[in-house]
Amino acid sequence: MNERVRVSLRFRIFAALICFSSLALNVEVALAQTDNDAPRFRVERTPVAGGAELITIWGRVVGSEADRESQSEDLPLVTVLRDTLGDDIKENDILRQVWVHTYARPTLVQNAAALVPFLYKGVRVKPRTSVTNPPRAIIDLADTGRPVWSGLLVSGLTRALIDQPLVSASIHNYQRNVTDYRKANLMRALAILSLYNAEPRSDSPFSNAELIEMQSRLALTDKMFGGLVDTVRLSRFNEQDTSKRRDNRGHNWELLRQHAEAAGLFFEPLALSNNAATHVLLWMPVDQLQRNHASTGRQFNDRFLNIKNPWRDERLLRWQGYKETKYLDAENRPVAATDPGARAVTMIPLALYGLDFAKIPALLIDFRDTANPRRRELSRRFIDDLARDVFAISSLGNLYYFVGRSAFDFLTSRRGIDVNQPSRLRSAVELQLLLSFDSHISAGLSHELNKGLEALSVNPLENRSQAERRLALAQYQALQAYALRPDGLPLKIEQDRRAELTKFIHRGFKGKLLRVASVITLDRYTHREKMTPELLQLMDKERQLAYHINFLRQVVKSTSVIEVTWNMEAILPSLRFIAENGSINDKNAAKVVGSIFRQTQDSLARELCLSALKRIDNEVAQRELRRIYDDSTVALRWRLASAEYLRISPPPHSKTMDTEVSAQSPNNALRSP
């Protein structure tokens, strides 16, 4: 009996230990999952007097490079101004300025260095610790077209008025450095918004349409006339751009993996998010290097990888630089150090690649030759500067240069040769963000990668990453103070609204003249209307009309039969608003309403379309009504209604169909507002 009790007691103790171990493991896993699943971003909303709000995206970044293991900190990344007109109506909201909290005014030393021709080097300056003036907005989403025309004007005047080679070279170099510095921060904002959009959340202050608009506008700044792209085309552009980048990354990822395995190198992808890898690290296992250094049977494609063959590099045998211990299983897959069968392997980093390029992965960091990626990055820029500033030739002015340069561009792009290629700017910005967000990268490796990014920098206007952290907080505080001042951001919003009213009041030729005057004077002169309650109400209505018209245009472009892909309940409010508030100036509204009529068979939608065309009553509306009237495939009641609105005789053969006419009279079928 006592023996049975002892066995039972031992069994209960053993079971309790198992349960406790299991519970502890579950708690540990839950804590790990909680840490990994914790949101990377948070949003702060600050009301602004006059009917607006600042929306700031904060990011949780890892500790500084000097103390990589320290507790993460929240930093302001991007701030967006939404003009709400002080109400809760979403349809009259527009997005205006965007601030990136690393985009700062260059110092005097940086500006001077940016003027020096053929100076492709970052400048170390004392980091800013305080900012008193409000930061500069990097883009105005409400007016993306004006910078396009202003840039073309400045470029044309520079070429026409300055004929001194040295002065011209300095100005060209400065303009490009300023453009590249702005573009780097635009790409940073784009990457942040893409990551923010990929993180699931239910309380986002941005609608899906607003996120698409911001991402598309930021991406289009890389194109000469990108600021002139119609709002309706932004969604399609975003889909194509996202698909293209995904395909490029997948293609380069697979090619690089195959070449790494063939060369006996360890392949480690790095990702900003869980969606796809953006960069790849190649490592050399030290044990294989010592064992197989004399072997010549290894396949190594130096033209594709663009680094020196590590199997024949004597420096690696006495490498004193950074090394890292990784744990692999029997099939050389990375595992945790505590996993059964894990073996420790010491590795030397060889190179880091970006996967966003069209033909081949772009070398960003060569740990054995820091100048290697820099030379490839500068190849295209140096060729352009040499031809323009030294030999004073261009593709448009010299036939032989045009033919030779076209052939060279074609060869390098089609063959995937990593010279004369597009800039690595965006990939370098994404790597910088990856180092800020990924806490799994060790302090030593982070230090080496930051050194590689500094070596890749070719713009004197860029700031060091550690200075940017302090700068971000200082700019955020300055922007918040600017928003609280009555003569600060509220006054700026009022001025922007008064300028916005100009396009509603002065249409046609006069409105174009006013816009041209603003471009010619480089925004020194901007016509602004005096704000009144009546004009504020007009702005409210015009913004809502623009919202509903753009929505219907997207519907028309997305399908030929609306009922197949759209819920009509989502479309009817827009048709009803246009039918109640449309005006003779709404040519786009008349055109899109006519298209909606042809692409739907819904009776209520068609009634609203005819009512909207009757209210607009301009040339385009009358043409759409006439088109309905002349279409014999359209039901008789709609043709009769069109004839009534056009004040013309009923369509042919309608007198023989008295029964249908009486049953489907426009007075019974239509409910005009």
Side-chain angles (χ1 to χ4, degrees):
M1 184 67 180
N2 293 336
E3 184 67 23
R4 185 179 300 175
V5 170
R6 284 196 298 270
V7 171
S8 177
L9 183 61
R10 289 173 183 173
F11 178 77
R12 291 180 180 178
I13 294 174
F14 180 70
L17 289 175
I18 292 179
C19 292
F20 178 78
S21 300
S22 177
L23 178 62
L25 180 61
N26 290 335
V27 169
E28 182 179 357
V29 171
L31 290 175
Q33 289 178 346
T34 301
D35 181 67
N36 292 333
D37 295 339
R40 180 183 292 175
F41 301 101
R42 66 178 178 87
V43 174
E44 179 184 82
R45 307 174 75 161
T46 304
V48 181
E53 63 176 346
L54 288 174
I55 304 175
T56 302
I57 299 178
W58 290 69
R60 192 181 70 252
V61 300
V62 298
S64 63
E65 183 182 331
D67 189 10
R68 188 73 174 175
E69 305 300 328
S70 64
Q71 187 177 4
S72 60
E73 58 178 333
D74 284 359
L75 285 179
L77 303 175
V78 175
T79 298
V80 182
L81 174 63
R82 175 189 280 146
D83 185 356
T84 65
L85 293 181
D87 55 35
D88 296 330
I89 302 174
K90 300 299 183 182
E91 290 79 3
N92 65 6
D93 295 352
I94 63 170
L95 301 178
R96 290 196 180 275
Q97 284 80 13
V98 177
W99 290 269
V100 181
H101 294 298
T102 52
Y103 184 58
R105 291 177 174 83
T107 64
L108 182 61
V109 175
Q110 288 177 309
N111 280 320
L115 281 166
V116 180
F118 298 98
L119 177 61
Y120 311 123
K121 181 68 176 176
V123 178
R124 291 177 178 267
V125 295
K126 184 178 180 180
R128 300 174 181 84
T129 57
S130 63
V131 177
T132 55
N133 296 323
R136 294 183 299 172
I138 199 166
I139 189 174
D140 186 354
L141 296 173
D143 190 5
T144 57
R146 183 174 298 178
V148 175
W149 302 119
S150 299
L152 291 175
L153 177 64
V154 171
S155 178
L157 290 176
T158 302
R159 293 177 181 273
L161 300 179
I162 301 177
D163 56 356
Q164 295 295 327
L166 182 59
V167 176
S168 177
S170 297
I171 292 178
H172 289 153
N173 196 62
Y174 183 79
Q175 288 176 338
R176 185 182 51 208
N177 284 328
V178 169
T179 301
D180 288 349
Y181 178 55
R182 177 173 177 266
K183 188 183 297 183
N185 283 275
L186 285 166
M187 295 301 103
R188 177 182 177 89
L190 177 59
I192 291 170
L193 289 173
S194 299
L195 290 173
Y196 175 82
N197 193 23
E199 191 173 274
R201 55 174 40 84
S202 59
D203 57 345
S204 174
F206 299 110
S207 66
N208 186 55
E210 288 176 331
L211 286 170
I212 290 176
E213 177 188 358
M214 289 189 290
Q215 294 179 64
S216 301
R217 289 299 184 193
L218 291 170
L220 283 167
T221 55
D222 200 26
K223 304 183 182 300
M224 179 178 294
F225 296 102
L228 305 180
V229 174
D230 192 1
T231 304
V232 180
R233 302 182 183 273
L234 295 181
S235 179
R236 179 63 176 167
F237 169 80
N238 185 68
E239 292 177 3
Q240 292 176 344
D241 185 64
T242 303
S243 176
K244 181 180 179 181
R245 298 184 69 81
R246 187 187 303 115
D247 293 343
N248 287 340
R249 287 174 178 175
H251 172 263
N252 290 332
W253 189 92
E254 183 60 26
L255 281 179
L256 195 57
R257 184 190 62 81
Q258 293 176 5
H259 282 81
E261 290 181 354
L265 307 178
F266 182 75
F267 175 90
E268 181 183 9
L270 303 176
L272 268 170
S273 65
N274 296 328
N275 294 337
T278 55
H279 301 80
V280 166
L281 264 170
L282 294 187
W283 301 79
M284 166 62 72
V286 174
D287 56 346
Q288 294 186 23
L289 178 66
Q290 296 171 344
R291 186 167 55 250
N292 301 321
H293 184 266
S295 175
T296 59
R298 289 283 186 181
Q299 298 180 8
F300 189 83
N301 191 337
D302 55 351
R303 192 192 72 80
F304 180 83
L305 295 176
N306 293 308
I307 58 175
K308 185 178 179 180
N309 190 341
W311 299 104
R312 300 179 181 178
D313 191 353
E314 297 288 343
R315 293 176 300 171
L316 291 178
L317 293 176
R318 49 183 184 274
W319 182 257
Q320 299 298 320
Y322 178 77
K323 299 179 183 179
E324 188 169 305
T325 300
K326 294 184 177 296
Y327 295 89
L328 309 178
D329 60 10
E331 298 180 0
N332 291 326
R333 293 177 301 190
V335 295
T338 56
D339 287 0
R343 57 187 178 89
V345 179
T346 302
M347 294 191 179
I348 299 173
L350 295 180
L352 183 137
Y353 298 84
L355 302 180
D356 286 336
F357 294 80
K359 296 297 179 182
I360 59 173
L363 178 67
L364 291 181
I365 297 175
D366 185 345
F367 292 89
R368 292 174 293 166
D369 183 5
T370 56
N372 181 18
R374 181 183 176 83
R375 290 193 298 266
R376 299 177 185 277
E377 170 71 8
L378 287 175
S379 58
R380 187 182 188 93
R381 176 178 293 192
F382 182 75
I383 293 172
D384 292 339
D385 289 353
L386 192 67
R388 183 189 59 203
D389 299 330
V390 177
F391 297 106
I393 58 177
S394 65
S395 298
L396 298 178
N398 189 296
L399 178 62
Y400 299 104
Y401 178 73
F402 171 77
V403 174
R405 183 61 189 271
S406 299
F408 181 64
D409 291 347
F410 177 80
L411 177 65
T412 54
S413 62
R414 290 296 297 269
R415 297 290 296 172
I417 302 173
D418 193 12
V419 294
N420 190 43
Q421 295 292 346
S423 174
R424 293 159 168 77
L425 194 60
R426 180 168 182 172
S427 192
V429 169
E430 290 177 341
L431 177 59
Q432 193 177 36
L433 284 175
L434 191 148
L435 294 176
S436 298
F437 288 136
D438 194 343
S439 59
H440 298 92
I441 298 178
S442 63
L445 180 58
S446 174
H447 176 72
E448 295 296 323
L449 293 177
N450 276 303
K451 282 174 55 180
L453 283 175
E454 286 189 17
L456 186 64
S457 174
V458 298
N459 193 340
L461 302 181
E462 293 179 356
N463 297 300
R464 299 186 64 187
S465 58
Q466 295 308 312
E468 287 179 344
R469 294 195 176 195
R470 293 188 287 272
L471 178 63
L473 287 171
Q475 284 192 336
Y476 168 77
Q477 294 169 359
L479 181 59
Q480 294 293 313
Y482 181 59
L484 294 176
R485 284 165 34 197
D487 61 339
L489 189 56
L491 179 60
K492 170 63 175 172
I493 294 172
E494 182 183 356
Q495 292 176 345
D496 289 342
R497 288 175 181 172
R498 290 170 55 196
E500 182 186 356
L501 279 171
T502 303
K503 65 181 180 180
F504 301 141
I505 297 175
H506 302 289
R507 303 177 187 264
F509 183 71
K510 184 177 181 180
K512 293 179 181 178
L513 283 180
L514 291 173
R515 286 193 290 272
V516 169
S518 179
V519 171
I520 291 177
T521 59
L522 299 179
D523 296 338
R524 299 298 180 184
Y525 169 76
T526 300
H527 183 77
R528 295 183 175 92
E529 297 293 329
K530 184 177 180 180
M531 184 64 70
T532 63
E534 293 77 16
L535 290 182
L536 186 61
Q537 186 177 3
L538 172 65
M539 178 185 293
D540 181 13
K541 190 187 79 168
E542 291 290 346
R543 283 191 186 180
Q544 293 189 61
L545 273 173
Y547 171 86
H548 292 295
I549 291 171
N550 288 332
F551 172 69
L552 293 179
R553 290 175 66 195
Q554 292 176 355
V555 171
V556 168
K557 285 183 174 295
S558 65
T559 181
S560 58
V561 181
I562 295 176
E563 288 88 342
V564 174
T565 55
W566 287 87
N567 181 5
M568 294 304 299
E569 295 300 323
I571 297 172
L572 293 177
S574 295
L575 290 173
R576 187 172 291 109
F577 187 88
I578 296 175
E580 295 173 353
N581 298 279
S583 68
I584 196 171
N585 297 314
D586 298 326
K587 295 183 179 180
N588 288 332
K591 186 175 180 180
V592 73
V593 166
S595 299
I596 292 287
F597 183 93
R598 290 188 295 274
Q599 293 176 210
T600 184
Q601 296 298 323
D602 185 84
S603 297
L604 182 55
R606 285 193 156 188
E607 291 175 12
L608 292 171
C609 287
L610 291 179
S611 299
L613 292 174
K614 178 185 177 183
R615 179 180 180 87
I616 296 173
D617 197 27
N618 56 20
E619 181 181 352
V620 179
Q622 292 177 10
R623 186 169 61 244
E624 293 294 336
L625 286 170
R626 184 74 191 198
R627 187 172 181 177
I628 297 171
Y629 172 86
D630 293 335
D631 190 351
S632 59
T633 62
V634 175
L636 181 61
R637 60 168 172 161
W638 309 121
R639 299 175 68 195
L640 286 171
S642 300
E644 180 181 342
Y645 294 157
L646 291 170
R647 297 180 180 86
I648 59 177
S649 60
H653 309 298
S654 61
K655 295 181 180 180
T656 62
M657 305 175 68
D658 295 336
T659 305
E660 183 179 357
V661 171
S662 60
Q664 300 180 353
S665 173
N667 295 329
N668 296 328
L670 296 177
R671 296 186 293 274
S672 177

